[in-house]
């Protein structure tokens, strides 16, 4: 069965600094998608970034980028130039079986 | 179309009562998903529809839960004989899916259910 593991329940970063959130997953499939979602307190889940497993190039969306290591089944999220608005729960998710990790709470300090 | 809409936002019910939640997806999205999220956890998949067909149900979806998507538009999730363990945030998401390309889900704000 597919699993997604986020080993960092909480992380903190100072404004303007860079932080990396970790995610590992387990699957026997070769073609799949991976996602990072952001969930601010009491607000809806927002897609941050998406990676297709067959693409070797790491996805990038403005200040957000991933380090996708398919052989190691690792999918970390790097947030550069952190902003106060980045504070949220971050969930790593695997699809094709619609599986989310347990999340990492990110705090951003001014 | 402003996104995925869920109603109600909050529902408090007594144990044993039935509740129904509604989800209106983005109109051009053919896939619709229901998730349950408890405090401190990631969302857990319950079921999903492609158009009006319910294609997969999680083992979490007991016989007390039923979901429908008539005409492939809005969807309802009903919980019968609610139990305190049903207290959670129920999230709906929709996605376009063209062939095998998947673009990610758009989530609604959720319905928070409290069973007392």
């Amino acid at each position: 069965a597919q699993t997604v593991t986020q080993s960092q329940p909480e992380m903190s970063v100072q404004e303007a600094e860079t932080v990396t959130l970790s995610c590992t997953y387990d699957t026997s499939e070769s073609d799949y998608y991976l996602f990072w979602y952001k969930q601010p307190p009491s607000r809806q889940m927002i897609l941050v970034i998406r990676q297709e497993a067959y693409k070797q190039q790491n996805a990038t969306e403005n200040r957000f980028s991933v380090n996708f290591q398919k052989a190691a089944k690792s999918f970390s999220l790097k947030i550069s130039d952190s902003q106060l608005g980045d504070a949220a729960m971050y969930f790593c998710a695997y699809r094709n079986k619609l599986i989310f990790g347990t999340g990492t709470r990110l705090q951003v300090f001014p | 179309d402003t996104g995925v809409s869920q109603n109600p936002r909050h529902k408090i019910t007594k144990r044993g009562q039935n509740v129904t939640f509604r989800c209106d997806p983005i109109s051009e999205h053919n896939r619709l998903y229901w998730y349950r999220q408890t405090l401190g956890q990631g969302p857990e998949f319950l079921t999903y529809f492609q158009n009006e067909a319910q294609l997969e149900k999680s083992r979490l979806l007991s016989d007390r839960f039923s979901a429908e998507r008539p005409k492939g538009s809005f969807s309802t999730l009903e919980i019968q004989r609610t139990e305190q363990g049903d207290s959670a945030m129920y999230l709906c998401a929709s996605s376009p899916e063209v062939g095998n390309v998947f673009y990610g889900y758009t989530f609604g704000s959720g319905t928070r259910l409290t069973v007392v």
Side-chain angles (χ1 to χ4, degrees):
Chain A
Q2 291 89 358
T3 58
V4 177
T5 303
Q6 292 180 250
S7 58
Q8 305 156 315
E10 289 195 18
M11 292 284 285
S12 60
V13 63
Q14 278 206 297
E15 209 174 358
E17 296 295 306
T18 296
V19 64
T20 299
L21 309 184
S22 301
C23 174
T24 58
Y25 60 96
D26 189 25
T27 183
S28 58
E29 297 174 330
S30 59
D31 193 17
Y32 48 87
Y33 295 84
L34 293 162
F35 304 89
W36 278 98
Y37 277 87
K38 169 185 177 181
Q39 189 177 40
S42 302
R43 295 185 62 187
Q44 70 192 82
M45 197 86 72
I46 301 165
L47 176 64
V48 174
I49 199 163
R50 160 182 174 264
Q51 175 79 43
E52 297 165 70
Y54 69 87
K55 288 188 176 178
Q56 294 187 345
Q57 186 174 9
N58 289 323
T60 299
E61 287 287 342
N62 301 314
R63 298 183 295 107
F64 299 87
S65 61
V66 299
N67 183 4
F68 174 49
Q69 302 289 328
K70 190 173 183 181
K73 295 178 182 173
S74 170
F75 182 61
S76 60
L77 175 70
K78 185 171 84 171
I79 307 174
S80 305
D81 186 26
S82 297
Q83 300 175 359
L84 295 177
D86 295 333
M89 282 291 287
Y90 285 81
F91 292 97
C92 175
Y94 168 94
R95 193 259 177 192
N96 293 335
K97 288 293 185 181
L98 310 168
I99 298 168
F100 283 81
T102 51
T104 297
R105 182 174 303 280
L106 177 66
Q107 294 180 305
V108 181
F109 295 101
Chain B
D1 191 84
T2 57
V4 178
S5 175
Q6 289 189 250
N7 288 288
R9 291 292 303 273
H10 303 276
K11 178 71 176 178
I12 300 174
T13 190
K14 290 185 178 179
R15 190 174 53 187
Q17 298 293 304
N18 298 345
V19 294
T20 300
F21 311 140
R22 176 175 170 132
C23 172
D24 287 89
I26 293 173
S27 57
E28 58 268 26
H29 287 185
N30 59 347
R31 289 207 170 188
L32 185 149
Y33 309 82
W34 285 100
Y35 287 86
R36 180 173 70 188
Q37 186 178 24
T38 52
L39 200 61
Q41 299 296 315
E44 296 173 296
F45 169 72
L46 293 179
T47 188
Y48 89 91
F49 293 83
Q50 179 157 317
N51 301 313
E52 67 275 9
Q54 190 172 18
L55 295 187
E56 188 171 343
K57 292 196 292 186
S58 162
R59 283 175 290 181
L60 293 174
L61 213 66
S62 75
D63 291 344
R64 297 184 297 105
F65 288 71
S66 62
E68 294 182 344
R69 192 183 182 196
K71 303 178 183 177
S73 56
F74 70 92
S75 176
T76 57
L77 178 67
E78 181 183 18
I79 309 174
Q80 296 181 326
R81 305 181 303 282
T82 51
E83 301 172 357
Q84 286 188 320
D86 297 331
S87 296
M89 176 76 84
Y90 290 84
L91 297 170
C92 176
S94 68
S95 71
E97 194 152 346
V98 181
N100 288 323
V101 180
F102 181 69
Y103 296 94
Y105 314 130
T106 301
F107 279 85
S109 298
T111 293
R112 183 171 295 284
L113 173 66
T114 303
V115 182
V116 297

